[in-house]
Amino acid sequence: MGDFDYGDFLTLTAEIERYLGYLKGNETVAKYFQDHTAHVETNLQSWGIDAAWSGTIDYRTPAADGLSVDFSMWHWVTYPYEPFDARRSAWADQLRAGASQSWENGNAWANDIGGYLRNLLADITRPDAGSLRESIQEFSEARIALEGAMPVDWTDLDFNSWIGQSSDECQDVVTELHSFIRDQYLTYFAHAETLFAGAGALIVQTQNGLNPMLREIRDDLRAQLEEWAATGREPQDYAGMNPLVPDIFNIGSQVVDLVPVVGDIKGKVEDVGGIVLDILDLFDAAPRFQPREAFDAKSAEQIYNELTTLLKDGYLTPFEEAMQRLQNERSRPIHAAQNGVHPWFLPTLDGVAKEPWQHEAER
């Protein structure tokens, strides 16, 4: 069964939102202190006090306990001298209040980013792999029932037991009906079954690559916050994000190759069960990933822009293109071929109650 975990997906998108908020909050506080440096120095000189602010922000974090470590907001500004006089204490309180508000403003920037990501990816995350598998298996069961509904000798009639026009007409109807069931209805049904299975496999394979990609992005954000906590400033040696990206193009090619083309399906009706099993095997296959050039976004806004671009252009668009390829190369030719079949239904047998012909023995 596919290993996509929707609960994990919700957790990852929530953590990405939270960490982007922390990152933006840190950046906003750093900018606040940078903007206030000249003003602080002027006040200190007017107060006759030596430089009291060390110029660093203490981004302290609780003790790490694996993945549950919480990269909280900055806690306080470090001052090297004690005690404060009244003027200095007032300035410190003002500085703390301004920094705290700056952090809150920055953190609020990330509000509902997780919700946006969940909405953006909803078409991929909503399908349930187990339900898809069951519906494909039910499709197969219906085809098997259709195959068994009309065996070759379904009438159990011996058309050689009598001769004449009635024998010929009856045999023509029986043969034609079997041909309709076999060459039109069953063939079309088998095409639909393999196409449905192929689309399901493409969805599940695309799903399976989503959480590993988001997990790497989440981990990279956390690594940046760890450096903020350790140094009190923006990471200086950031190498950029290089998340895993599902190789949806090759996944799509693999699925399309398994679905029979329109000219082959008649000879493969008996093999459709095996074809569908091969397609279902893709539900359990490990996702394929492709190398991707790292994006060197550093700020929270840059990372958010790169992340959404990656999800749209590097993930959702290739999936849509793979689905389009399945439609263009397999579905549309089938539809066109079936449109060329006339009639779709057997001609009515007019005058069945009063046949215009008689058995030779009746003449």
Side-chain angles (χ1 to χ4, degrees), residues 6-183:
Y6 188 70
D8 191 26
F9 167 72
L10 295 179
T11 299
L12 287 168
T13 51
E15 288 181 335
I16 287 173
E17 174 183 318
R18 183 156 56 101
Y19 291 168
L20 281 172
Y22 290 169
L23 187 58
K24 183 67 171 178
N26 287 357
E27 293 165 0
T28 308
V29 173
K31 181 70 163 51
Y32 170 82
F33 279 109
Q34 182 181 7
D35 292 344
H36 284 72
T37 299
H39 174 67
V40 168
E41 289 177 350
T42 299
N43 280 347
L44 289 177
Q45 290 172 2
S46 67
W47 292 336
I49 302 174
D50 293 334
W53 175 46
S54 67
T56 62
I57 308 166
D58 186 358
Y59 295 91
R60 299 200 175 189
T61 62
D65 60 349
L67 296 181
S68 64
V69 59
D70 182 15
F71 301 97
S72 299
M73 57 173 281
W74 69 283
H75 286 260
W76 54 79
V77 181
T78 303
Y79 298 92
Y81 301 117
E82 293 289 352
F84 294 140
D85 64 21
R87 290 171 299 173
R88 183 177 174 190
S89 178
W91 165 71
D93 290 342
Q94 182 181 8
L95 196 63
R96 286 193 184 96
S100 178
Q101 186 60 55
S102 294
W103 193 92
E104 293 293 345
N105 292 342
N107 186 54
W109 165 85
N111 286 350
D112 205 33
I113 282 179
Y116 171 74
L117 295 178
R118 290 188 284 276
N119 288 334
L120 179 67
L121 299 165
D123 287 346
I124 297 295
T125 60
R126 283 176 181 160
D128 177 73
S131 298
L132 277 174
R133 183 189 289 273
E134 289 176 7
S135 61
I136 293 167
Q137 291 169 337
E138 290 174 359
F139 217 133
S140 297
E141 291 169 3
R143 171 184 49 79
I144 292 170
L146 180 61
E147 282 183 297
M150 188 171 291
V152 175
D153 297 325
W154 64 278
T155 63
D156 199 27
L157 291 175
D158 180 6
F159 295 108
N160 295 321
S161 64
W162 83 98
I163 60 174
Q165 187 177 359
S166 63
S167 173
D168 296 340
E169 294 280 356
C170 186
Q171 185 167 2
D172 287 346
V173 168
V174 170
T175 301
E176 190 172 9
L177 179 57
H178 185 272
S179 177
F180 266 75
I181 296 295
R182 180 72 184 179
D183 297 337

Side-chain angles (χ1 to χ4, degrees), residues 256-270:
V256 171
D257 288 344
L258 285 172
V259 177
V261 298
V262 64
D264 293 343
I265 194 67
K266 282 188 178 182
K268 291 185 176 181
V269 168
E270 296 87 351

